[in-house]
Amino acid sequence: MKVIDLTHTITEHMPVYPGTETPLFLPANSYEKDGFKETKLTMFTHTGTHIDPPAHLFAGRTTLDQFPTEQFIGKALVINCQDLSEGGFITLNHIQAYGSKAEKADFLLFHLGWDKRWGTDSYFGDYPCIDEAVLDYILKGSYKGIGFDVIGLDPIADENLTLHKKLFCEKDIINIENLKNLGLCGDDLFHFSCFPLKLHDCDGSPARAVAWWE
């Protein structure tokens, strides 16, 4: 079995969305004093490689813990969008290049190549985003989720989170942000999972995103 980790490691000095705080690791118990090690972790629910549910934007909408477990596993397809310049748009042409494979996928993962910028100021730059036609295509489909190797679905300057709101207004779907290594997944369907922590009334959670082939 071939397995590829699509998840960034959570550290105290990792990139986080502007305005939030980086994770904090505090020693709670030690080998010397207690005979075991335990750490108190403080961080936002949308830290690192993480999942947004509809409840991230709308009160009363579906939280992550309300989704069935199968929401987080299925067949995925990476859509190569590395040809785009800063500020560009992911269009239907990018998806249609994969033919019927895009319709058979449970997850569409958009590869911008921005994971290479992880840890630099340019990661927070003007990354390409999906256009309205792509969002409409996703909403009309039966996808379990979409994902990106950038920090957000919306442009970083859009404080209104326009795309998030349209995605989650009525559809039960998940959005995965800050993926990595999508360029290693090829151009065909593969097994994919992105299980979040099972937190009560959860508006988001870090996830361990993994691709694998039998």
Side-chain angles (χ1 to χ4, degrees):
M1 177 183 290
K2 176 184 177 183
V3 180
I4 295 178
D5 191 356
L6 306 179
T7 314
H8 287 288
T9 302
I10 294 174
T11 69
E12 287 192 310
H13 304 291
M14 67 188 296
V16 294
Y17 198 84
T20 62
E21 299 169 1
T22 55
L24 183 62
F25 292 75
L26 294 175
N29 294 285
S30 67
Y31 301 122
E32 296 77 15
K33 180 182 176 181
D34 307 289
F36 61 93
K37 181 180 179 181
E38 188 173 16
T39 302
K40 180 181 179 181
L41 173 61
T42 302
M43 66 179 180
F44 284 73
T45 49
H46 296 262
T47 296
T49 304
H50 69 273
I51 302 176
D52 301 338
H56 180 39
L57 272 292
F58 297 105
R61 291 286 284 116
T62 310
T63 59
L64 277 180
D65 52 308
Q66 291 174 332
F67 276 109
T69 308
E70 55 265 27
Q71 185 75 29
F72 310 108
I73 190 168
K75 290 293 185 71
L77 180 68
V78 168
I79 307 299
N80 189 350
C81 307
Q82 292 187 94
D83 61 312
L84 294 173
S85 302
E86 293 192 15
F89 288 97
I90 301 168
T91 69
L92 281 176
N93 289 336
H94 289 95
I95 298 175
Q96 291 169 346
Y98 293 84
S100 62
K101 288 186 284 189
E103 298 173 359
K104 296 176 182 177
D106 299 303
F107 299 88
L108 294 181
L109 308 179
F110 296 93
H111 176 38
L112 284 306
W114 279 60
D115 55 329
K116 298 182 181 67
R117 305 185 184 210
W118 183 259
T120 71
D121 290 341
S122 66
Y123 191 72
F124 303 98
D126 195 12
Y127 46 80
C129 296
I130 59 174
D131 66 11
E132 287 289 328
V134 169
L135 183 52
D136 288 340
Y137 172 89
I138 292 165
L139 290 171
K140 290 176 183 176
S142 57
Y143 297 106
K144 294 181 178 182
I146 56 175
F148 303 85
D149 57 4
V150 298
I151 203 166
L153 171 62
D154 289 279
I156 202 162
D158 184 2
E159 296 182 358
N160 185 53
L161 301 177
T162 306
L163 297 175
H164 274 88
K165 288 179 178 177
K166 185 172 181 179
L167 178 69
F168 290 137
C169 182
E170 297 181 356
K171 192 175 183 68
D172 274 347
I173 190 171
I174 60 172
N175 174 51
I176 313 153
E177 297 171 339
N178 294 323
L179 290 163
K180 73 170 190 176
N181 290 334
L182 294 181
L184 302 179
C185 295
D187 59 1
D188 208 344
L189 293 163
F190 56 90
H191 299 289
F192 173 75
S193 63
C194 55
F195 292 107
L197 296 174
K198 194 173 183 180
L199 305 173
H200 174 66
D201 197 26
C202 190
D203 58 78
S205 171
R208 189 66 179 264
V210 176
W212 77 93
W213 295 258
E214 299 290 349

